[in-house]
Amino acid sequence: MKFVIIGGVAGGATAAARIRRNDESARIVMVERGPYISFANCGLPYHLSGAIAEREQLLVTSEGAFEARYRVDVRSRTEAIAIDRAAKTVRLRNLATGDEYDEAYDRLLLSPGAEPVRPKLPGIESKRVFGLRNIPDLDRIMEHLKTEQPRRAVVIGGGFIGIEVAENFHERGLFTTLVEGADQILAPLDYEMAAIVHAHMRDKNVELYLADKIERFEDKADHTVVYLQSGKRLQADVVVLAIGVRPETTLARAAGLAIGATGGIKVNEYLQTSDDAIYAVGDAIEVTQTLNGRVALIPLAGPANRQGRMAADNMVHGNQRAYRGTLGTAILKAFDLAAASTGLNEKQLIAAGADYRTSITHGGSHASYYPGAKQISLKLLYAPDGKILGAQAVGADGADKRIDVIATAIHAGMTVEDLTELELAYAPPFGSAKDPVNIAGYVAANVLNGSHELLDWRALQALDTTTMQLIDVRTAEEFELGTIRGARHIDVNTLREHLADLDPAKPTIVFCQIGLRGYLAYRILKQAGFADVRNLSGGYKTYAWAIDKQSNPDIFDYEDIKRRDPDEIEAERGGRCAIVANAGNRHTLNAIGLQCPGPIMKTYRAVDAMNEGELLEVTASDPAFGRDIRAWAKKTGNDVLSVETEKGLVTVLIRKGKSAPALPAASAAQLLPARDKTTLVVFSGDLDKVMASLIIANGALAMGKPVSVFFTFWGLNVLRRPDAPAVPKGFMDKMFGAMMPAGTDRLNSISKMNFAGMGARLIRTVMRQKGVETPTALLKSLVDGGAQLIACNMSMDVMGIRQAELVDGVELGGVAAFLGEAAESGTTLFI
């Protein structure tokens, strides 16, 4: 029997080798359009930095070696251009000579892979704009790096390839910018899990633009300008497009083979196309998602290899082996972190209308008392009956092991209760007696049996916390470093003594740093008769990551980069440990393995024993330590000179200031400390009044003052999105929405001389001529600058406005929220 295989690399080469092992007499022809029949395309980005030093290491096998071992007729640089299904022939073209000829087959396998998405943008044909799919693409980039010596790189796309390219450009020493059109990188992860990676990339000083897209490219003499839809302009010496891939189906479509709803080649459970003699595998086909039974495109190397092996068996022996679907287990190295996932994420479950539960836990990669333990954040998704639906893990060590265990459990049909009983290898250097997988199972099982009720960070943000008891049960030191607005502090160790200070009939939310102490507080309150209690899933750690500013724009001054010494700039932006001359003695502190507030407390004690001007280098494994130490230093009068992250460890250099005030003693009910804040109430929807409020707020922000802006009644129109999604509303709410302007660009009145709407248009024209910022730009400036925007919950209800209709970055609150902010403010204005 004669087999013809179109495409090598993962699926095709695997199939060819398997056919030979099945049938020594088979005639096998493998056609590959490129010059290399089998290469490690997943390793391409790592050659950019030299992590994979030799290009030849990426070549899995050569044409000659493959032919010699498997007696396969390999034809590289040969393109399949047409299939004659009736005659069972494939039209081939030799790309070196241009000659065309027909090759007969008994069985045909299509493994063409996927092609990179390359939108038709102006300027995209620039010599500085590259893709990265194969060895020739890599060679072109490496040649450009060698001859042009670029200093600035822009990577477009926050998927696996984009992040890997950005990391390796950064490791090579390039000032690297990553642009992603969605509000997060890494689509397989849910937002709060991707936020951990965002924070790490900020620590690495990667310039990160989220929710922004490329508009066009413009070549200059010595660089290319990348225009973003937001109006930003980026300068680049090299640009890599990593927007995504789509199935290569040109040949299949022309042959009349069935194409699925996803755009991939449609195959049955035996990987057979709509033509019985033709099979297909790899990134070109649509597969069944194992858990929900839906068709999907899941371009991963592991499934492609398994499909190639299975298709080979079915082509030789007849359809005996059924492909059970693709789970989608994947992992990525993002600098010092691993980000891994398996199964379905929350976005997919919501889209499918599934009933599901989630829990987030933070544990150690191994026993905390053994040196080198690093944190793993693990999110588990599961059905009400305990079926495991998916999992995500982010951490510097051990994330792969935990996701592989859970992927195996899903494959075996196990439940979250089964996770609690898994017997996993334990010794202090490798794990814990209660592995993070066991802990995730414990939490999920408690949720399902009703002994633990969770609330996630997004649900908490949508609540009016003034109507409930929000209790921070961490230590006073942790509370002082930062908490959730409106929270009351009661240490879990003193909670029983303060039950009388709480209202058991009032809804209560408790939280700690990672969730464990919150669970203990939950159990105390429930058994004390508190009816409505919930614990914040993942604790303050997850909440802080999720609500933090995710992007990292405008960190490079490109003109400075062109003029100044790169090492000097690198030191200024914190990428290398600053060198401080004549600054006194230098001390070191090891806080590896400690969870918050351990590293902070050890730092405090060490600094307290030092003299003014002396330096302290602290190394910690808590990924949030860099953020926490900045907050601590600001409060205690010390200086953070640099923050570095390397291999899952955070190294901080601190200089002791003139004073280091003592951290507060524990108290039963602390409130946030007063600040020199500016608070504004925006009641009006008139353009001139709105402009005044936004200008004043931005001015206060520029002076370094914390700013809170409370929008109520007509002022809520400032926060409305012009592109708001459709949300279900009653008749009156719809009428209100139709009559009111949606967003700052549509404010249609001024307080004086309105002239039936002409006044607003006239003042916009004058502002444009005078170069005055638009209200939309001013509002965005407030969000980017970290101002607190609060929408009045009661007014929203009255006017029929839903949170989904508001711009990003807005909190919901009530009168108590405003009064709380006003109490902390030196200036309060009502406009």
Side-chain angles (χ1 to χ4, degrees), residues 33 71 153 172 323 346 348 499 548 669 671 733 799 803:
R33 180 168 50 192
R71 296 299 191 266
R172 190 182 175 95
Y323 187 64
E346 205 164 349
Q348 293 168 319
L499 293 176
D548 200 3
L671 297 177
D733 289 349
M799 303 179 75
Q803 186 174 12

Side-chain angles (χ1 to χ4, degrees), residues 157-469:
F160 284 33
I161 297 298
I163 293 172
E164 290 167 349
V165 170
E167 174 187 348
N168 284 277
F169 274 157
H170 182 278
E171 294 300 312
R172 190 182 175 95
L174 277 68
F175 293 86
T176 304
T177 300
L178 181 70
V179 181
E180 167 56 46
D183 63 354
Q184 67 166 84
I185 59 175
L186 292 174
L189 299 186
D190 288 319
Y191 183 88
E192 68 276 10
M193 299 299 286
I196 305 172
V197 187
H198 296 164
H200 185 58
M201 295 183 76
R202 292 195 300 271
D203 287 343
K204 287 292 188 179
N205 293 299
V206 172
E207 192 174 58
L208 182 61
Y209 287 85
L210 298 173
D212 211 345
K213 296 182 179 179
I214 305 300
E215 191 174 74
R216 62 189 175 94
F217 304 92
E218 181 182 340
D219 275 345
K220 300 293 185 181
D222 62 346
H223 66 272
T224 293
V225 180
V226 182
Y227 289 82
L228 306 185
Q229 289 182 356
S230 63
K232 292 283 186 182
R233 292 185 297 174
L234 310 175
Q235 293 189 38
D237 304 318
V238 58
V239 179
V240 173
L241 290 173
I243 300 173
V245 296
R246 56 182 166 229
E248 174 57 83
T249 59
T250 305
L251 190 64
R253 288 178 185 274
L257 297 177
I259 304 297
T262 63
I265 300 172
K266 191 176 183 65
V267 295
N268 61 17
E269 66 269 33
Y270 302 109
L271 301 168
Q272 192 175 36
T273 69
S274 54
D275 186 314
D276 292 348
I278 303 176
Y279 292 72
V281 298
D283 296 353
I285 69 171
E286 67 175 19
V287 296
T288 300
Q289 210 292 332
T290 306
L291 288 164
N292 63 13
R294 296 187 169 196
V295 292
L297 298 174
I298 307 179
L300 295 171
N305 276 279
R306 293 198 306 276
Q307 291 159 14
R309 176 185 174 92
M310 189 172 293
D313 289 348
N314 291 334
M315 292 167 72
V316 173
H317 302 301
N319 293 339
Q320 297 179 0
R321 298 189 61 192
Y323 187 64
R324 294 170 57 180
T326 302
L327 188 55
T329 305
I331 191 167
L332 166 82
K333 178 182 180 294
F335 292 94
D336 303 329
L337 293 180
S341 65
T342 189
L344 301 170
N345 60 32
E346 205 164 349
K347 296 183 286 288
Q348 293 168 319
L349 291 168
I350 291 172
D355 187 9
Y356 69 96
R357 309 286 185 270
T358 72
S359 55
I360 297 175
T361 51
H362 305 281
S365 56
H366 59 246
S368 60
Y369 56 82
Y370 186 87
K374 299 182 177 69
Q375 181 183 286
I376 300 172
S377 298
L378 182 59
K379 180 173 184 177
L380 191 64
L381 303 99
Y382 44 96
D385 63 359
K387 179 182 179 181
I388 306 169
L389 300 176
Q392 300 158 36
V394 179
D397 183 30
D400 55 342
K401 171 181 172 180
R402 274 70 190 198
I403 286 298
D404 283 345
V405 168
I406 296 176
T408 304
I410 294 174
H411 188 79
M414 297 169 68
T415 67
V416 295
E417 187 68 42
D418 293 321
L419 296 182
T420 71
E421 299 179 12
L422 285 179
E423 185 177 329
L424 303 174
Y426 161 60
F430 304 105
S432 301
K434 294 178 182 177
D435 190 85
V437 173
N438 299 134
I439 297 296
Y442 293 144
V443 173
N446 285 342
V447 169
L448 294 181
N449 67 28
S451 63
H452 192 184
E453 296 166 89
L454 293 176
L455 179 80
D456 68 24
W457 69 273
R458 202 182 294 273
L460 177 58
Q461 268 205 317
L463 294 175
D464 180 1
T465 55
T466 62
T467 64
M468 59 190 62
Q469 299 172 122

Side-chain angles (χ1 to χ4, degrees), residues 4 30 32 68 86 97 150 158 169 293 379 446 483 510 606 608 619 679 765 800:
V4 174
M30 186 169 72
E32 169 57 46
T97 64
F169 274 157
K379 180 173 184 177
N446 285 342
T483 190
V510 294
D608 190 49
T619 304
T679 299
T765 301

Side-chain angles (χ1 to χ4, degrees), residues 654-671:
I654 303 166
R655 179 168 51 202
K656 181 169 181 175
K658 291 186 177 180
S659 63
L663 290 172
S667 65
Q670 287 181 302
L671 297 177

Side-chain angles (χ1 to χ4, degrees), residues 77-226:
R77 296 185 178 87
T78 300
E79 183 177 14
I81 56 177
I83 300 171
D84 186 335
R85 292 165 54 192
K88 285 193 172 183
T89 61
V90 182
R91 188 72 172 173
L92 303 178
R93 177 186 293 144
N94 186 315
L95 296 179
T97 64
D99 294 340
E100 295 183 5
Y101 58 95
D102 292 328
E103 189 73 36
Y105 65 84
D106 295 306
R107 294 287 184 270
L108 175 66
L109 177 66
L110 302 180
S111 181
E115 59 180 350
V117 175
R118 194 175 176 90
K120 295 181 179 179
L121 296 173
I124 199 170
E125 299 306 323
S126 165
K127 65 181 181 180
R128 298 187 185 95
V129 178
F130 301 88
L132 184 57
R133 183 195 181 197
N134 51 38
I135 295 288
D137 287 344
L138 177 66
D139 290 342
R140 284 188 285 270
I141 297 175
M142 293 302 293
E143 179 63 22
H144 183 79
L145 295 176
K146 179 181 177 181
T147 59
E148 300 300 322
Q149 296 292 309
R151 289 295 299 156
R152 300 153 301 182
V154 173
V155 180
I156 303 166
F160 284 33
I161 297 298
I163 293 172
E164 290 167 349
V165 170
E167 174 187 348
N168 284 277
F169 274 157
H170 182 278
E171 294 300 312
R172 190 182 175 95
L174 277 68
F175 293 86
T176 304
T177 300
L178 181 70
V179 181
E180 167 56 46
D183 63 354
Q184 67 166 84
I185 59 175
L186 292 174
L189 299 186
D190 288 319
Y191 183 88
E192 68 276 10
M193 299 299 286
I196 305 172
V197 187
H198 296 164
H200 185 58
M201 295 183 76
R202 292 195 300 271
D203 287 343
K204 287 292 188 179
N205 293 299
V206 172
E207 192 174 58
L208 182 61
Y209 287 85
L210 298 173
D212 211 345
K213 296 182 179 179
I214 305 300
E215 191 174 74
R216 62 189 175 94
F217 304 92
E218 181 182 340
D219 275 345
K220 300 293 185 181
D222 62 346
H223 66 272
T224 293
V225 180
V226 182

Side-chain angles (χ1 to χ4, degrees), residues 607-677:
V607 171
D608 190 49
M610 290 163 43
N611 296 318
E612 180 185 337
E614 290 185 336
L615 303 179
L616 176 66
E617 183 179 277
V618 186
T619 304
S621 53
D622 181 355
F625 181 61
R627 182 189 68 232
D628 291 345
I629 199 66
R630 290 185 179 98
W632 175 85
K634 184 177 180 181
K635 289 178 179 293
T636 56
N638 297 294
D639 298 319
V640 174
L641 302 180
S642 67
V643 177
E644 295 180 343
T645 57
E646 188 72 29
K647 296 182 179 179
L649 299 179
V650 181
T651 302
V652 175
L653 186 64
I654 303 166
R655 179 168 51 202
K656 181 169 181 175
K658 291 186 177 180
S659 63
L663 290 172
S667 65
Q670 287 181 302
L671 297 177
L672 285 172
R675 293 172 289 176
D676 182 18
K677 177 181 286 187

